[in-house]
Amino acid sequence: MPLLYTIGKLTVGPAMRLAFRPVVEGLEHIPATGGAIFAGNHLSVADELLLGTVVPRHLAFWAKSEYFTGTGPKGALSKFVLTGLGAIPVERAGGRAALSAFDAAIPALRGGDLVAVYPEGTRSPDGRLYRGRTGTARLAVAAGVPVIPVGVTGTDKVQPIGTRIPRPGKAKIVIRFGKPLDFTGRGDDRTSLREMTDEMMAEIQKLTGQEYVPRYAPRRAEPTSGGTSTAGSAPA
């Protein structure tokens, strides 16, 4: 586990658990060793903070590539922090650039790390669960690791879209981990990837109870202020 991440687990982690008191179910489904992908619904920027708080092992998130290439003291600090946390840079342009982040995640997963991905590709605009993009299934097949479904509820009330700081006490937060999905031996053709993705989204829905929308969530313009999600999107 990266040193800076370890420090955060010992300091920020307990403070987050005390402030937000998340209810956690299914920790027994998290493997003690070996790589795995956490695939969850995405309601709020707070999802990343709380998921990292309750998962006992190092969990790698994606962060915008600009955060690694900034100039001046602020840019240097951003790069230092994200590198120290073991974050994976991702191009927000989409297409081949976005897929390069998945390529970077493969050696991390094969090396036994955990990686978090949000298959919807963006935060839900209305609390419903939208169709998943196939990038998560493609990554699981390429890396040869299981997918652990994650369902989070309550974070959209704690930190609504556009809110800068999460507010404790606004809602009960529940984080549920489902049984690992093993896609070993499955194909990486378009049809197979779509089938695996639909299976994965069905498991996430069981954990959250959200209404399912069989279309992709609309992407929002980058906010000028407030919380900006740095989590991994799953390209189609």
Side-chain angles (χ1 to χ4, degrees):
M1 186 180 295
L3 177 59
L4 195 57
Y5 196 95
T6 300
I7 294 172
K9 292 288 285 184
L10 296 175
T11 56
V12 179
M16 291 286 292
R17 289 192 295 271
L18 181 62
F20 295 96
R21 301 184 183 278
V23 175
V24 184
E25 302 175 4
L27 280 175
E28 68 274 13
H29 297 312
I30 299 176
T33 60
I37 299 170
F38 286 79
N41 64 315
H42 200 14
L43 298 173
S44 166
V45 173
D47 296 337
E48 298 126 86
L49 298 174
L50 289 162
L51 190 58
T53 295
V54 303
V55 173
R57 296 174 54 193
H58 175 246
L59 185 59
F61 288 95
W62 273 273
K64 292 190 298 182
S65 60
E66 302 95 280
Y67 293 154
F68 292 85
T69 58
T71 59
K74 184 177 180 181
L77 177 62
S78 174
K79 180 179 180 180
F80 171 78
V81 171
L82 290 174
T83 301
L85 292 174
I88 301 172
V90 60
E91 298 285 347
R92 293 295 290 266
R96 182 61 245 174
L99 287 174
S100 67
F102 275 56
D103 294 339
I106 291 174
L109 289 165
R110 289 177 176 171
D113 211 348
L114 304 176
V115 174
V117 179
Y118 295 109
E120 291 170 279
T122 187
R123 283 168 286 168
S124 171
D126 53 19
R128 296 184 294 175
L129 183 68
Y130 283 79
R131 190 183 197 214
R133 298 177 181 273
T134 59
T136 304
R138 182 185 294 112
L139 179 60
V141 171
V145 298
V147 174
I148 300 174
V150 182
V152 179
T153 58
T155 52
D156 53 334
K157 304 296 190 302
V158 168
Q159 190 177 9
I161 293 173
T163 302
R164 184 180 297 274
I165 300 173
R167 298 168 293 180
K170 291 295 182 179
K172 177 181 178 181
I173 296 174
V174 180
I175 303 173
R176 297 186 176 96
F177 299 96
K179 295 181 179 179
L181 302 174
D182 185 2
F183 295 139
T184 303
R186 303 280 288 268
D188 60 358
D189 58 280
R190 185 184 299 271
T191 299
S192 297
L193 292 174
R194 172 45 56 193
E195 290 175 350
M196 287 183 277
T197 301
D198 290 344
E199 292 172 24
M200 179 176 59
M201 300 308 293
E203 292 302 315
I204 294 173
Q205 185 187 27
K206 291 178 184 177
L207 298 172
T208 66
Q210 292 170 280
E211 177 186 348
Y212 180 71
V213 182
R215 65 176 184 274
Y216 295 128
R219 292 188 180 276
R220 295 177 298 278
E222 194 74 19
T224 56
S225 62
T228 300
S229 176
T230 59
S233 300

